[in-house]
Short mmCIF file of all heavy atoms in Angstrom, two decimals:
data_model
loop_
_atom_site.label_atom_id
_atom_site.label_comp_id
_atom_site.label_asym_id
_atom_site.label_seq_id
_atom_site.Cartn_x
_atom_site.Cartn_y
_atom_site.Cartn_z
N MET A 1 81.71 -17.59 64.53
CA MET A 1 80.85 -16.99 65.55
C MET A 1 80.60 -15.52 65.24
O MET A 1 81.48 -14.81 64.79
CB MET A 1 81.49 -17.15 66.94
CG MET A 1 80.53 -16.88 68.08
SD MET A 1 79.17 -18.04 68.11
CE MET A 1 78.61 -17.83 69.80
N MET A 2 79.41 -15.13 65.50
CA MET A 2 78.93 -13.79 65.15
C MET A 2 79.17 -12.81 66.30
O MET A 2 78.98 -13.15 67.45
CB MET A 2 77.42 -13.94 64.90
CG MET A 2 76.77 -12.79 64.23
SD MET A 2 77.03 -12.84 62.46
CE MET A 2 76.05 -11.41 62.02
N ASP A 3 79.60 -11.59 65.95
CA ASP A 3 79.66 -10.52 66.96
C ASP A 3 78.28 -9.92 67.12
O ASP A 3 77.56 -9.73 66.14
CB ASP A 3 80.60 -9.40 66.51
CG ASP A 3 82.06 -9.81 66.62
OD1 ASP A 3 82.32 -10.92 67.11
OD2 ASP A 3 82.92 -9.03 66.20
N CYS A 4 77.93 -9.58 68.34
CA CYS A 4 76.68 -8.86 68.54
C CYS A 4 76.81 -7.46 67.97
O CYS A 4 77.79 -6.75 68.22
CB CYS A 4 76.35 -8.79 70.02
SG CYS A 4 74.91 -7.77 70.37
N GLN A 5 75.81 -7.05 67.18
CA GLN A 5 75.87 -5.74 66.54
C GLN A 5 75.61 -4.62 67.54
O GLN A 5 75.86 -3.46 67.27
CB GLN A 5 74.82 -5.68 65.43
CG GLN A 5 73.44 -6.07 65.94
CD GLN A 5 72.42 -6.15 64.82
OE1 GLN A 5 72.76 -6.05 63.66
NE2 GLN A 5 71.17 -6.33 65.18
N ARG A 6 75.09 -4.97 68.68
CA ARG A 6 74.75 -3.95 69.67
C ARG A 6 75.87 -3.77 70.70
O ARG A 6 76.33 -2.66 70.92
CB ARG A 6 73.45 -4.35 70.35
CG ARG A 6 72.90 -3.30 71.28
CD ARG A 6 71.44 -3.63 71.58
NE ARG A 6 71.02 -3.19 72.88
CZ ARG A 6 69.96 -3.67 73.52
NH1 ARG A 6 69.24 -4.62 72.96
NH2 ARG A 6 69.63 -3.22 74.69
N CYS A 7 76.31 -4.87 71.32
CA CYS A 7 77.29 -4.74 72.41
C CYS A 7 78.68 -5.22 72.00
O CYS A 7 79.64 -5.01 72.73
CB CYS A 7 76.82 -5.50 73.64
SG CYS A 7 76.85 -7.28 73.46
N GLY A 8 78.79 -5.89 70.82
CA GLY A 8 80.10 -6.29 70.32
C GLY A 8 80.65 -7.57 70.92
O GLY A 8 81.74 -8.00 70.56
N GLN A 9 79.92 -8.19 71.81
CA GLN A 9 80.36 -9.44 72.42
C GLN A 9 80.14 -10.60 71.46
O GLN A 9 79.33 -10.52 70.54
CB GLN A 9 79.58 -9.70 73.72
CG GLN A 9 79.78 -8.65 74.78
CD GLN A 9 81.20 -8.61 75.31
OE1 GLN A 9 81.77 -9.63 75.69
NE2 GLN A 9 81.79 -7.42 75.30
N ARG A 10 80.86 -11.69 71.68
CA ARG A 10 80.70 -12.88 70.84
C ARG A 10 79.87 -13.94 71.53
O ARG A 10 79.95 -15.12 71.19
CB ARG A 10 82.07 -13.45 70.48
CG ARG A 10 82.83 -12.51 69.59
CD ARG A 10 83.79 -13.28 68.72
NE ARG A 10 84.27 -12.44 67.63
CZ ARG A 10 84.98 -12.88 66.61
NH1 ARG A 10 85.27 -14.17 66.53
NH2 ARG A 10 85.37 -12.08 65.65
N ASN A 11 79.08 -13.53 72.45
CA ASN A 11 78.27 -14.44 73.22
C ASN A 11 76.89 -14.58 72.56
O ASN A 11 75.86 -14.33 73.16
CB ASN A 11 78.13 -13.89 74.65
CG ASN A 11 77.62 -14.92 75.62
OD1 ASN A 11 77.58 -16.11 75.32
ND2 ASN A 11 77.21 -14.46 76.79
N VAL A 12 76.92 -14.96 71.27
CA VAL A 12 75.71 -14.94 70.46
C VAL A 12 75.27 -16.35 70.08
O VAL A 12 76.05 -17.13 69.55
CB VAL A 12 75.93 -14.10 69.18
CG1 VAL A 12 74.70 -14.14 68.29
CG2 VAL A 12 76.27 -12.66 69.53
N LEU A 13 74.03 -16.65 70.36
CA LEU A 13 73.42 -17.92 69.96
C LEU A 13 72.93 -17.79 68.52
O LEU A 13 72.34 -16.78 68.15
CB LEU A 13 72.23 -18.20 70.88
CG LEU A 13 71.37 -19.42 70.55
CD1 LEU A 13 72.11 -20.70 70.92
CD2 LEU A 13 70.06 -19.35 71.32
N GLU A 14 73.17 -18.81 67.72
CA GLU A 14 72.77 -18.79 66.32
C GLU A 14 71.93 -20.04 66.02
O GLU A 14 72.36 -21.14 66.30
CB GLU A 14 74.03 -18.78 65.44
CG GLU A 14 73.74 -18.77 63.95
CD GLU A 14 75.04 -18.70 63.13
OE1 GLU A 14 76.05 -18.19 63.64
OE2 GLU A 14 75.03 -19.20 61.99
N ILE A 15 70.74 -19.83 65.47
CA ILE A 15 69.84 -20.95 65.18
C ILE A 15 69.39 -20.89 63.73
O ILE A 15 68.84 -19.88 63.29
CB ILE A 15 68.61 -20.93 66.11
CG1 ILE A 15 69.02 -21.03 67.56
CG2 ILE A 15 67.65 -22.06 65.74
CD1 ILE A 15 67.87 -20.83 68.55
N ASP A 16 69.63 -21.96 62.99
CA ASP A 16 69.11 -22.06 61.63
C ASP A 16 67.63 -22.36 61.68
O ASP A 16 67.18 -23.18 62.47
CB ASP A 16 69.83 -23.17 60.86
CG ASP A 16 71.28 -22.80 60.55
OD1 ASP A 16 71.53 -21.65 60.21
OD2 ASP A 16 72.14 -23.69 60.67
N HIS A 17 66.89 -21.72 60.77
CA HIS A 17 65.45 -21.85 60.80
C HIS A 17 64.94 -21.81 59.36
O HIS A 17 65.41 -21.02 58.56
CB HIS A 17 64.88 -20.66 61.60
CG HIS A 17 63.51 -20.88 62.10
ND1 HIS A 17 63.21 -21.70 63.17
CD2 HIS A 17 62.34 -20.37 61.67
CE1 HIS A 17 61.91 -21.68 63.37
NE2 HIS A 17 61.35 -20.89 62.49
N VAL A 18 63.99 -22.69 59.03
CA VAL A 18 63.40 -22.67 57.70
C VAL A 18 61.95 -22.24 57.81
O VAL A 18 61.16 -22.84 58.54
CB VAL A 18 63.49 -24.06 57.02
CG1 VAL A 18 62.87 -24.00 55.62
CG2 VAL A 18 64.93 -24.53 56.94
N LEU A 19 61.60 -21.18 57.10
CA LEU A 19 60.24 -20.66 57.14
C LEU A 19 59.32 -21.57 56.32
O LEU A 19 59.78 -22.36 55.51
CB LEU A 19 60.21 -19.23 56.61
CG LEU A 19 61.08 -18.24 57.39
CD1 LEU A 19 60.94 -16.84 56.81
CD2 LEU A 19 60.73 -18.24 58.86
N PRO A 20 58.01 -21.44 56.50
CA PRO A 20 57.05 -22.34 55.82
C PRO A 20 57.17 -22.32 54.29
O PRO A 20 56.80 -23.29 53.64
CB PRO A 20 55.69 -21.78 56.25
CG PRO A 20 55.96 -21.10 57.54
CD PRO A 20 57.35 -20.54 57.44
N ASP A 21 57.68 -21.24 53.71
CA ASP A 21 57.83 -21.19 52.25
C ASP A 21 59.20 -21.67 51.79
O ASP A 21 59.54 -21.56 50.62
CB ASP A 21 57.56 -19.77 51.74
CG ASP A 21 58.67 -18.79 52.13
OD1 ASP A 21 59.49 -19.15 53.00
OD2 ASP A 21 58.72 -17.70 51.56
N GLY A 22 60.00 -22.21 52.70
CA GLY A 22 61.31 -22.75 52.34
C GLY A 22 62.45 -21.75 52.47
O GLY A 22 63.61 -22.11 52.25
N THR A 23 62.15 -20.51 52.83
CA THR A 23 63.19 -19.52 53.04
C THR A 23 64.05 -19.91 54.24
O THR A 23 63.52 -20.18 55.31
CB THR A 23 62.57 -18.12 53.30
OG1 THR A 23 61.75 -17.76 52.20
CG2 THR A 23 63.65 -17.08 53.50
N GLU A 24 65.37 -19.96 54.02
CA GLU A 24 66.28 -20.29 55.11
C GLU A 24 66.73 -19.01 55.79
O GLU A 24 67.27 -18.12 55.16
CB GLU A 24 67.48 -21.07 54.59
CG GLU A 24 67.10 -22.46 54.14
CD GLU A 24 68.29 -23.24 53.61
OE1 GLU A 24 69.43 -22.91 53.97
OE2 GLU A 24 68.05 -24.17 52.83
N VAL A 25 66.51 -18.95 57.08
CA VAL A 25 66.91 -17.77 57.85
C VAL A 25 67.70 -18.23 59.06
O VAL A 25 67.69 -19.40 59.43
CB VAL A 25 65.70 -16.93 58.30
CG1 VAL A 25 64.97 -16.34 57.12
CG2 VAL A 25 64.75 -17.76 59.16
N LYS A 26 68.41 -17.29 59.66
CA LYS A 26 69.09 -17.56 60.91
C LYS A 26 68.57 -16.60 61.96
O LYS A 26 68.33 -15.43 61.68
CB LYS A 26 70.61 -17.34 60.77
CG LYS A 26 71.31 -18.41 59.96
CD LYS A 26 72.78 -18.04 59.81
CE LYS A 26 73.48 -18.90 58.78
NZ LYS A 26 73.77 -20.24 59.25
N PHE A 27 68.40 -17.13 63.15
CA PHE A 27 68.00 -16.32 64.28
C PHE A 27 69.21 -16.16 65.20
O PHE A 27 69.88 -17.14 65.50
CB PHE A 27 66.84 -17.00 65.02
CG PHE A 27 66.49 -16.33 66.32
CD1 PHE A 27 65.81 -15.13 66.33
CD2 PHE A 27 66.83 -16.93 67.53
CE1 PHE A 27 65.48 -14.51 67.54
CE2 PHE A 27 66.50 -16.32 68.73
CZ PHE A 27 65.83 -15.11 68.73
N PHE A 28 69.48 -14.93 65.60
CA PHE A 28 70.59 -14.66 66.51
C PHE A 28 70.07 -14.08 67.81
O PHE A 28 69.15 -13.26 67.82
CB PHE A 28 71.57 -13.66 65.88
CG PHE A 28 72.25 -14.17 64.65
CD1 PHE A 28 71.74 -13.88 63.40
CD2 PHE A 28 73.38 -14.96 64.75
CE1 PHE A 28 72.37 -14.36 62.24
CE2 PHE A 28 74.02 -15.44 63.61
CZ PHE A 28 73.51 -15.13 62.36
N PHE A 29 70.68 -14.52 68.89
CA PHE A 29 70.32 -14.00 70.20
C PHE A 29 71.59 -13.76 71.00
O PHE A 29 72.41 -14.67 71.16
CB PHE A 29 69.40 -14.98 70.93
CG PHE A 29 69.11 -14.56 72.34
CD1 PHE A 29 68.22 -13.53 72.59
CD2 PHE A 29 69.72 -15.20 73.41
CE1 PHE A 29 67.95 -13.13 73.90
CE2 PHE A 29 69.45 -14.81 74.72
CZ PHE A 29 68.56 -13.77 74.95
N CYS A 30 71.76 -12.54 71.48
CA CYS A 30 72.94 -12.20 72.29
C CYS A 30 72.64 -12.46 73.76
O CYS A 30 71.71 -11.89 74.31
CB CYS A 30 73.32 -10.73 72.06
SG CYS A 30 74.66 -10.20 73.14
N HIS A 31 73.45 -13.34 74.36
CA HIS A 31 73.24 -13.64 75.77
C HIS A 31 73.64 -12.47 76.67
O HIS A 31 73.19 -12.38 77.80
CB HIS A 31 74.06 -14.87 76.18
CG HIS A 31 73.59 -16.13 75.56
ND1 HIS A 31 72.43 -16.76 75.94
CD2 HIS A 31 74.10 -16.89 74.56
CE1 HIS A 31 72.26 -17.86 75.22
NE2 HIS A 31 73.26 -17.96 74.37
N THR A 32 74.51 -11.60 76.16
CA THR A 32 75.02 -10.51 76.99
C THR A 32 74.00 -9.38 77.12
O THR A 32 73.68 -8.95 78.22
CB THR A 32 76.33 -9.96 76.40
OG1 THR A 32 77.27 -11.04 76.29
CG2 THR A 32 76.91 -8.88 77.30
N CYS A 33 73.48 -8.90 75.99
CA CYS A 33 72.57 -7.74 76.06
C CYS A 33 71.15 -8.09 75.61
O CYS A 33 70.28 -7.22 75.56
CB CYS A 33 73.12 -6.59 75.21
SG CYS A 33 73.05 -6.89 73.43
N GLU A 34 70.92 -9.37 75.25
CA GLU A 34 69.59 -9.87 74.87
C GLU A 34 69.06 -9.27 73.57
O GLU A 34 67.86 -9.31 73.31
CB GLU A 34 68.58 -9.66 76.01
CG GLU A 34 69.00 -10.41 77.27
CD GLU A 34 67.90 -10.47 78.33
OE1 GLU A 34 67.00 -9.61 78.29
OE2 GLU A 34 67.93 -11.40 79.15
N GLU A 35 69.97 -8.72 72.75
CA GLU A 35 69.59 -8.30 71.40
C GLU A 35 69.21 -9.54 70.58
O GLU A 35 69.82 -10.59 70.70
CB GLU A 35 70.78 -7.57 70.75
CG GLU A 35 70.55 -7.16 69.32
CD GLU A 35 69.78 -5.85 69.21
OE1 GLU A 35 69.05 -5.50 70.15
OE2 GLU A 35 69.92 -5.19 68.17
N LYS A 36 68.16 -9.38 69.75
CA LYS A 36 67.73 -10.47 68.87
C LYS A 36 67.67 -9.93 67.46
O LYS A 36 67.27 -8.80 67.24
CB LYS A 36 66.34 -10.98 69.25
CG LYS A 36 66.20 -11.44 70.67
CD LYS A 36 64.75 -11.89 70.89
CE LYS A 36 64.49 -12.25 72.35
NZ LYS A 36 64.46 -11.07 73.22
N TRP A 37 68.09 -10.74 66.48
CA TRP A 37 67.91 -10.32 65.10
C TRP A 37 67.86 -11.54 64.18
O TRP A 37 68.20 -12.65 64.55
CB TRP A 37 68.98 -9.33 64.67
CG TRP A 37 70.38 -9.86 64.56
CD1 TRP A 37 71.00 -10.27 63.41
CD2 TRP A 37 71.35 -10.00 65.60
NE1 TRP A 37 72.30 -10.66 63.70
CE2 TRP A 37 72.53 -10.50 65.01
CE3 TRP A 37 71.33 -9.75 66.98
CZ2 TRP A 37 73.68 -10.77 65.77
CZ3 TRP A 37 72.48 -10.03 67.72
CH2 TRP A 37 73.63 -10.52 67.12
N TRP A 38 67.36 -11.28 62.95
CA TRP A 38 67.19 -12.33 61.95
C TRP A 38 68.03 -11.99 60.73
O TRP A 38 68.28 -10.82 60.43
CB TRP A 38 65.72 -12.43 61.53
CG TRP A 38 64.82 -12.94 62.60
CD1 TRP A 38 64.29 -12.21 63.62
CD2 TRP A 38 64.34 -14.27 62.77
NE1 TRP A 38 63.51 -13.02 64.42
CE2 TRP A 38 63.52 -14.28 63.91
CE3 TRP A 38 64.52 -15.47 62.05
CZ2 TRP A 38 62.87 -15.44 64.35
CZ3 TRP A 38 63.87 -16.61 62.50
CH2 TRP A 38 63.07 -16.59 63.64
N ASP A 39 68.41 -13.02 59.99
CA ASP A 39 69.29 -12.87 58.86
C ASP A 39 68.85 -13.84 57.76
O ASP A 39 68.54 -14.99 58.02
CB ASP A 39 70.70 -13.23 59.38
CG ASP A 39 71.77 -13.17 58.32
OD1 ASP A 39 71.71 -13.92 57.35
OD2 ASP A 39 72.69 -12.37 58.51
N ARG A 40 68.77 -13.31 56.52
CA ARG A 40 68.44 -14.16 55.38
C ARG A 40 69.51 -13.96 54.31
O ARG A 40 69.72 -12.86 53.85
CB ARG A 40 67.07 -13.80 54.81
CG ARG A 40 66.66 -14.66 53.62
CD ARG A 40 65.32 -14.23 53.07
NE ARG A 40 65.34 -12.85 52.67
CZ ARG A 40 64.24 -12.10 52.47
NH1 ARG A 40 63.04 -12.61 52.67
NH2 ARG A 40 64.35 -10.85 52.09
N ASP A 41 70.19 -15.06 53.92
CA ASP A 41 71.28 -14.97 52.94
C ASP A 41 72.31 -13.91 53.31
O ASP A 41 72.78 -13.16 52.45
CB ASP A 41 70.72 -14.68 51.53
CG ASP A 41 69.84 -15.81 51.03
OD1 ASP A 41 70.07 -16.96 51.44
OD2 ASP A 41 68.92 -15.54 50.24
N GLY A 42 72.64 -13.81 54.57
CA GLY A 42 73.66 -12.87 55.00
C GLY A 42 73.16 -11.45 55.14
O GLY A 42 73.94 -10.56 55.43
N VAL A 43 71.88 -11.23 54.90
CA VAL A 43 71.31 -9.88 55.01
C VAL A 43 70.33 -9.85 56.17
O VAL A 43 69.46 -10.72 56.28
CB VAL A 43 70.59 -9.47 53.71
CG1 VAL A 43 69.98 -8.08 53.86
CG2 VAL A 43 71.55 -9.51 52.53
N GLN A 44 70.46 -8.86 57.00
CA GLN A 44 69.58 -8.78 58.15
C GLN A 44 68.15 -8.43 57.72
O GLN A 44 67.95 -7.58 56.86
CB GLN A 44 70.10 -7.73 59.12
CG GLN A 44 69.45 -7.87 60.49
CD GLN A 44 69.95 -6.79 61.44
OE1 GLN A 44 71.06 -6.32 61.32
NE2 GLN A 44 69.10 -6.42 62.37
N ILE A 45 67.18 -9.11 58.26
CA ILE A 45 65.78 -8.78 57.98
C ILE A 45 65.04 -8.55 59.29
O ILE A 45 65.41 -9.06 60.34
CB ILE A 45 65.07 -9.87 57.16
CG1 ILE A 45 65.09 -11.23 57.88
CG2 ILE A 45 65.70 -10.00 55.78
CD1 ILE A 45 64.23 -12.27 57.18
N ASP A 46 63.97 -7.79 59.17
CA ASP A 46 63.17 -7.48 60.35
C ASP A 46 62.33 -8.68 60.76
O ASP A 46 61.92 -9.47 59.92
CB ASP A 46 62.21 -6.33 60.06
CG ASP A 46 62.93 -5.00 59.95
OD1 ASP A 46 64.06 -4.90 60.48
OD2 ASP A 46 62.37 -4.08 59.35
N LEU A 47 62.02 -8.74 62.03
CA LEU A 47 61.10 -9.77 62.52
C LEU A 47 59.77 -9.65 61.79
O LEU A 47 59.15 -10.67 61.46
CB LEU A 47 60.90 -9.61 64.03
CG LEU A 47 59.85 -10.54 64.64
CD1 LEU A 47 60.24 -12.00 64.46
CD2 LEU A 47 59.67 -10.24 66.12
N THR A 48 59.33 -8.43 61.50
CA THR A 48 58.05 -8.25 60.81
C THR A 48 58.07 -8.91 59.44
O THR A 48 57.07 -9.44 58.99
CB THR A 48 57.71 -6.75 60.65
OG1 THR A 48 58.82 -6.08 60.05
CG2 THR A 48 57.40 -6.11 61.98
N GLU A 49 59.26 -8.88 58.79
CA GLU A 49 59.38 -9.52 57.48
C GLU A 49 59.28 -11.04 57.60
O GLU A 49 58.66 -11.71 56.78
CB GLU A 49 60.73 -9.11 56.87
CG GLU A 49 60.73 -9.10 55.36
CD GLU A 49 62.03 -8.53 54.80
OE1 GLU A 49 62.61 -7.64 55.45
OE2 GLU A 49 62.45 -9.00 53.74
N VAL A 50 59.91 -11.57 58.64
CA VAL A 50 59.81 -13.00 58.91
C VAL A 50 58.35 -13.39 59.14
O VAL A 50 57.84 -14.36 58.57
CB VAL A 50 60.65 -13.38 60.16
CG1 VAL A 50 60.42 -14.83 60.55
CG2 VAL A 50 62.14 -13.14 59.89
N LEU A 51 57.66 -12.60 59.96
CA LEU A 51 56.26 -12.90 60.27
C LEU A 51 55.38 -12.75 59.03
O LEU A 51 54.40 -13.50 58.85
CB LEU A 51 55.76 -11.97 61.38
CG LEU A 51 56.43 -12.18 62.73
CD1 LEU A 51 55.93 -11.16 63.75
CD2 LEU A 51 56.23 -13.60 63.25
N ASP A 52 55.72 -11.81 58.15
CA ASP A 52 54.99 -11.64 56.89
C ASP A 52 55.05 -12.90 56.04
O ASP A 52 54.05 -13.34 55.48
CB ASP A 52 55.58 -10.48 56.08
CG ASP A 52 54.90 -9.16 56.39
OD1 ASP A 52 53.93 -9.17 57.18
OD2 ASP A 52 55.35 -8.14 55.83
N ILE A 53 56.26 -13.47 55.93
CA ILE A 53 56.44 -14.69 55.14
C ILE A 53 55.60 -15.82 55.73
O ILE A 53 54.92 -16.55 55.01
CB ILE A 53 57.93 -15.08 55.08
CG1 ILE A 53 58.72 -14.04 54.29
CG2 ILE A 53 58.10 -16.47 54.45
CD1 ILE A 53 60.24 -14.20 54.37
N VAL A 54 55.64 -15.95 57.05
CA VAL A 54 54.86 -16.99 57.72
C VAL A 54 53.37 -16.78 57.48
O VAL A 54 52.63 -17.71 57.15
CB VAL A 54 55.16 -17.00 59.24
CG1 VAL A 54 54.21 -17.95 59.98
CG2 VAL A 54 56.61 -17.38 59.50
N ARG A 55 52.93 -15.53 57.58
CA ARG A 55 51.50 -15.21 57.43
C ARG A 55 51.05 -15.45 55.99
O ARG A 55 50.00 -16.02 55.75
CB ARG A 55 51.25 -13.76 57.84
CG ARG A 55 49.78 -13.44 58.05
CD ARG A 55 49.58 -12.00 58.47
NE ARG A 55 50.44 -11.62 59.59
CZ ARG A 55 51.35 -10.65 59.56
NH1 ARG A 55 51.53 -9.93 58.47
NH2 ARG A 55 52.06 -10.38 60.62
N ARG A 56 51.88 -14.99 55.02
CA ARG A 56 51.54 -15.17 53.61
C ARG A 56 51.37 -16.64 53.27
O ARG A 56 50.53 -17.02 52.49
CB ARG A 56 52.64 -14.59 52.71
CG ARG A 56 52.40 -13.15 52.31
CD ARG A 56 53.15 -12.83 51.03
NE ARG A 56 54.58 -13.07 51.12
CZ ARG A 56 55.46 -12.19 51.60
NH1 ARG A 56 55.06 -11.03 52.03
NH2 ARG A 56 56.75 -12.48 51.64
N HIS A 57 52.22 -17.48 53.88
CA HIS A 57 52.18 -18.90 53.57
C HIS A 57 50.89 -19.54 54.11
O HIS A 57 50.38 -20.49 53.54
CB HIS A 57 53.40 -19.60 54.15
CG HIS A 57 53.51 -21.04 53.73
ND1 HIS A 57 54.01 -21.41 52.50
CD2 HIS A 57 53.15 -22.17 54.36
CE1 HIS A 57 53.95 -22.73 52.41
NE2 HIS A 57 53.45 -23.22 53.51
N ARG A 58 50.43 -19.03 55.21
CA ARG A 58 49.23 -19.61 55.83
C ARG A 58 47.97 -19.26 55.05
O ARG A 58 47.02 -20.02 55.03
CB ARG A 58 49.06 -19.08 57.26
CG ARG A 58 50.04 -19.70 58.23
CD ARG A 58 49.45 -19.72 59.62
NE ARG A 58 50.46 -20.11 60.63
CZ ARG A 58 51.01 -19.25 61.49
NH1 ARG A 58 50.64 -17.99 61.48
NH2 ARG A 58 51.89 -19.66 62.35
N GLU A 59 47.97 -18.10 54.39
CA GLU A 59 46.75 -17.63 53.72
C GLU A 59 46.51 -18.36 52.41
O GLU A 59 47.42 -18.87 51.80
CB GLU A 59 46.85 -16.13 53.47
CG GLU A 59 46.57 -15.35 54.75
CD GLU A 59 47.01 -13.88 54.65
OE1 GLU A 59 47.52 -13.49 53.56
OE2 GLU A 59 46.85 -13.15 55.62
ZN1 ZN B 1 74.85 -8.00 72.67
#
């Protein structure tokens, strides 16, 4: 289980997600402080980066 990077609680939802180009990412959501973040291969990525991959695949 993941600690929230913002509030430090372990009340974090974790969802595996595969982007249209096959990139495997995880989405995290903290139930305590509502922080959201994305992770690819153990490295945090911005939502904008996730959306870029989705957009690039559509074009
Ligand atoms: Zn939190």
Side-chain angles (χ1 to χ4, degrees):
M1 194 63 161
M2 194 80 177
D3 286 356
C4 174
Q5 53 186 7
R6 187 164 150 200
C7 70
Q9 298 294 309
R10 292 208 166 189
N11 195 13
V12 177
L13 175 74
E14 179 178 334
I15 300 173
D16 290 320
H17 199 75
V18 181
L19 300 182
D21 71 346
T23 302
E24 291 179 23
V25 295
K26 288 176 192 285
F27 171 74
F28 296 96
F29 174 75
C30 174
H31 292 288
T32 304
C33 70
E34 299 192 337
E35 176 83 336
K36 304 179 185 72
W37 68 97
W38 292 81
D39 179 298
R40 181 182 58 198
D41 296 332
V43 179
Q44 196 181 331
I45 59 172
D46 288 340
L47 174 61
T48 52
E49 208 173 327
V50 173
L51 294 176
D52 269 356
I53 293 170
V54 172
R55 194 179 310 120
R56 268 203 303 274
H57 187 80
R58 285 208 190 107
E59 282 165 1

